[in-house]
Structures are given as C-alpha cells and as structure tokens.
Amino acid sequence: MARSDFLHTLHSRGFIHQITDETGLDTLCDDGMVTGYIGFDLTASSLHVGHLVQIMMLHWLQQTGGRPIALMGGGTSKIGDPSGRDTTRQLMTAETIAANKESIFRVFNRFMDFSGNAIAADNAEWLDGLEYVPFLRDVGRHFSVNRMLSMDSVRLRLDREQPLTFLEFNYMVLQAYDFVELNRRYGCVLQMGGSDQWGNIVSGIDLGRRIVGADLYGVTAPLITKSDGTKMGKTAGGAVWLNADMLSPYDYWQFWRNTGDADVERFLKLFTTLPLGEIARLAALQGSEINDAKKTLANEATAMVHGREAAEAAAETAATTFEAGGIAEGLPTIDVPRAELAEGVGVLAAFVRAGLAGSNSEARRAIQGGGARVNDDKLTDDKRVLGEADVAGGVIKLSLGRKKHALLRPV
C-alpha cells in the first residue's frame, strides 16, 4: 500500500494504470516535495473531457504537497503527436498555436494555483532554439531506430500502411528531451500521461538517465471508457469541450447528468474532489435516488471547470426545463434574423442549426421516431416550416428527446 499521500490518492480514486518504479516514487513523494509534469499539445483552442484525468492528476499532485508543471506544447505542436492517429495532423501556424495556448490555459487556472508553486511552461522555450546537428549528436544518438519502430505510435501506422512522416517520427525524441530539460530547469522527476504515452514516457526516463544521470519516474492513467465500453468524452455532437465558448456550461452539466448508473461512483472519484466517504454514500443510492448522485456529479464537475456560479445556473436551468416544464433562459440559444424567420425556416434545418441533430437525415429520423418537439408539442411533419407564429415568449423551443433542448431567438 502506498505510504505517500499522492500515490495513495491516485490509487484510491482510480487514476493509476502503470508506474515505472512505484516503490521508488512512493518513497520520494513521502520524503518531500516532488515536481511532476504533463504535456498538452495545442492542437485546438480548447481541451476536452478526455484531458480531464491528466489535469486532475496535476491537481492532486499540488494538493498533496507536490509541484505540478503544466507543459504547453508550443514546440511539439508544430509537429503533432502521431500516437493513436491513422493520418498526419495538419500543420498549424505559429499564430494559431499561440492563440490556442492562450485559450487553453484558462482552464488550468481552475485546477492549479499558479500563484503558489504550480508552473506553466512551454517547450517552445527550448525546442525552438535547438541546433539540428548538435541535437542529433547529443540526443539522437541515444535512440535506437529499431526500438522506435516498435513503438505503438509508429508500428500501428505502418501496419495499416498509413504514411508516417519523418517529422512525426521525431516527435518521441522531442518529448523525451522535454523531460530532460524540465529536470534541468525545475528538478522535475515525474512525467504523467495517458496510457498511450507509456512508450514516450519510458523513453524520457531512459534519456534522462543517459544524459544527466537522473532517476526519473513515470505514471500513466487508464483510458477511461463508459460501462458500455464506449470511449468516454465523445457524444453524437462531437467532443465535450472544456472552454465555455465551445460548449456551454449548461451542455457540459448535461453531459455529466446523463452519466450511466454504473459509471457514477467511478466518475465521482475521478472528476470531483468530494471525499471518498461522501462518494460511497452517493454510490449506494438505489432506484430513482441515483439521480441525486448524478446531479451532484454534474454540479461538482461543472463547478471545477466553469465555476460554482455557472454550475448552479446550469442546474437551475435543467430543473426549470425538465421538472417544471418551462423555458429556461440558460438553454443554448441561437439567434435567427427576423427577416429569415418571416420567410420560414425548415424544421430539419432548424434542428441542425440548433445543434440538436448532426444532419437533416438525423433530424428526420428523430421526427419519424416521435422524439422531436417544438414548444413542447410533438412534431410529426418533417416538412414543417417554422415562422413568426411559432414564437412564444420571444423564442421557439426545440427539443430532441427528454434532455436535449435549444432556443431559436428572433433578432
């Protein structure tokens, strides 16, 4: 059993998949402050729910006395991590990477205290200035091409006869070098990440031993799937983004509220900071009372990303919409020009525009299946045209199923 608060917390909450040297890391954590990092490539303007496990690991590192480093991949994003991908990522401009970095960082401020000992770093600080031939001589010589070809990120691409560029092939070398550089600059001895990063983490540990003689450690978290086996963090509408400008706090709250019964306890441990005793109490609820546990999960998970006020507003919107049967102001709202509405908006296009359906065909199937409503009235005609006569209380309420709602607002 782990002695250190950090590893005990990670074990008890289900964060650990693999550890390179658990006894050594546990002793180090128990003896004093450990500095650890996780890298995040800047391939989008927001992280998504799939990144939350790693972010929470950094959170718990700081809460248990360690020093977390959130490493922004300003350098490696110019290449793109090939792990888990069949195709080469589209290269991004420096301006796009910088904008993504600024947008993404807002989320980290809610999980770590950068006014305390948390560190925000960017690997562009050291990667952009590397000289090619000296880097090959000093770092590249420690990498065996034979071993690099056996890495999952490379082997799977080659097995599927998909192209792997020389640029991508270098990604694992640069990520390994990040660990060495962070050790030099901050005394960092721990790298964490998802299970798909195991090979890259081990490469960094080996490089650190060879170049600076450091004892480094690695921890990976399991791939989080739902009880039905599907990947957690994806919905029919796409990724569950963490930034409010890409997914509203209400929709984020609803994502967690729709958690399956079998996943509630596990998600409460991973994605909230509630005490384990309280989580056990909530997990023991039976029948319809399990909905109270789901609401708590939604409230706490949303509060961590968007703040307590936004979480409470989302919960109130849901209560108004579902329990009172009303139209809540917090529902996702799409502005429609009055002139356009006067001419008529096809109901299929309206559902797609509101984000309730991914295509006209999907909207049509929902209508034919009896799952679509306009202003809470069941919709039966997929050729119906919405107009000014459908405006009630200043909006037109569209609903798909019991839990997906949006408002069209004439402007």
Side-chain angles (χ1 to χ4, degrees):
M1 179 179 292
R3 293 182 304 167
S4 65
D5 288 344
F6 177 58
L7 286 189
H8 176 73
T9 298
L10 293 196
H11 271 298
S12 61
R13 288 182 171 267
F15 283 97
I16 293 180
H17 178 62
Q18 293 170 296
I19 304 180
T20 55
D21 176 7
E22 181 163 4
T23 301
L25 179 59
D26 191 39
T27 300
L28 198 63
C29 291
D30 197 44
D31 287 345
M33 184 183 74
V34 165
T35 300
Y37 89 98
I38 298 177
F40 300 88
D41 272 350
L42 308 173
T43 51
S45 59
S46 172
L47 300 178
H48 54 72
V49 163
H51 293 101
L52 266 185
V53 169
Q54 285 75 49
I55 297 173
M56 289 297 294
M57 292 170 82
L58 290 176
H59 169 83
W60 285 118
L61 177 61
Q62 186 171 39
Q63 292 301 308
T64 55
R67 180 169 65 163
I69 300 175
L71 179 65
M72 302 291 101
T76 44
S77 294
K78 296 170 184 175
I79 296 175
D81 186 356
S83 300
R85 293 186 63 86
D86 288 333
T87 57
T88 300
R89 293 183 186 272
Q90 184 177 356
L91 294 181
M92 298 184 297
T93 66
E95 291 75 18
T96 298
I97 292 172
N100 288 350
K101 175 183 173 180
E102 182 179 356
S103 179
I104 283 172
F105 189 74
R106 295 198 298 267
V107 169
F108 289 105
N109 280 311
R110 293 197 177 274
F111 289 84
M112 286 164 275
D113 180 9
F114 291 95
S115 65
N117 68 353
I119 297 171
D122 185 339
N123 61 16
E125 296 173 20
W126 51 87
L127 295 183
D128 283 2
L130 289 176
E131 295 181 352
Y132 188 61
V133 173
F135 184 74
L136 288 180
R137 182 193 63 207
D138 298 337
V139 177
R141 65 190 178 91
H142 296 295
F143 286 81
S144 161
V145 171
N146 307 66
R147 185 172 183 277
M148 292 171 74
L149 289 172
S150 71
M151 302 278 280
D152 284 347
S153 59
V154 174
R155 180 177 53 79
L156 294 177
R157 185 84 70 85
L158 297 180
D159 286 348
R160 295 167 182 164
E161 298 184 352
Q162 298 287 345
L164 179 76
T165 67
F166 179 70
L167 188 67
E168 293 174 291
F169 193 56
N170 281 271
Y171 185 93
M172 67 183 76
V173 179
L174 297 180
Q175 181 172 333
Y177 184 70
D178 282 344
F179 204 170
V180 173
E181 193 65 33
L182 288 171
N183 177 261
R184 285 170 170 163
R185 293 179 179 227
Y186 304 109
C188 180
V189 296
L190 171 64
Q191 181 181 176
M192 300 178 286
S195 57
D196 61 333
Q197 294 298 315
W198 178 254
N200 290 333
I201 291 173
V202 171
S203 293
I205 291 172
D206 182 61
L207 186 64
R209 178 180 58 80
R210 291 172 181 270
I211 291 182
V212 294
D215 291 324
L216 305 179
Y217 303 87
V219 175
T220 62
L223 174 67
I224 305 300
T225 58
K226 294 185 286 188
S227 57
D228 61 7
T230 58
K231 189 175 180 179
M232 187 264 187
K234 294 286 187 180
T235 69
V240 180
W241 301 106
L242 303 187
N243 282 23
D245 58 349
M246 295 185 69
L247 186 74
S248 72
Y250 170 78
D251 285 332
Y252 189 79
W253 190 95
Q254 275 296 323
F255 168 78
W256 294 106
R257 173 61 180 83
N258 293 338
T259 296
D261 293 2
D263 294 321
V264 172
E265 181 176 15
R266 187 162 53 105
F267 287 0
L268 281 167
K269 288 180 178 179
L270 289 169
F271 303 114
T272 80
T273 58
L274 289 176
L276 292 178
E278 174 64 8
I279 291 174
R281 184 192 70 79
L282 290 167
L285 297 175
Q286 299 293 320
S288 62
E289 289 185 341
I290 193 66
N291 289 323
D292 292 336
K294 294 180 182 181
K295 291 176 183 177
T296 299
L297 170 61
N299 289 340
E300 297 302 314
T302 303
M304 292 205 71
V305 172
H306 297 292
R308 182 65 60 184
E309 184 177 344
E312 291 175 352
E316 183 178 350
T317 296
T320 302
T321 303
F322 304 128
E323 297 169 15
I327 296 178
E329 293 181 358
L331 287 175
T333 302
I334 297 85
D335 291 339
V336 178
R338 289 187 182 277
E340 183 180 351
L341 192 60
E343 293 180 3
V345 176
V347 71
L348 298 180
F351 272 78
V352 173
R353 191 165 174 176
L356 298 179
S359 65
N360 285 354
S361 297
E362 183 182 336
R364 183 179 292 108
R365 287 193 297 270
I367 293 171
Q368 293 172 347
R373 298 185 305 282
V374 173
N375 294 333
D376 294 324
D377 292 329
K378 186 175 180 179
L379 186 59
T380 58
D381 182 6
D382 60 19
K383 294 182 174 58
R384 178 174 168 181
V385 175
L386 302 178
E388 293 177 330
D390 295 297
V391 177
V395 295
I396 301 174
K397 180 182 178 184
L398 305 180
S399 304
L400 191 67
R402 293 182 57 251
K403 298 180 179 179
K404 295 178 68 175
H405 307 268
L407 305 178
L408 298 183
R409 179 174 58 194
V411 293

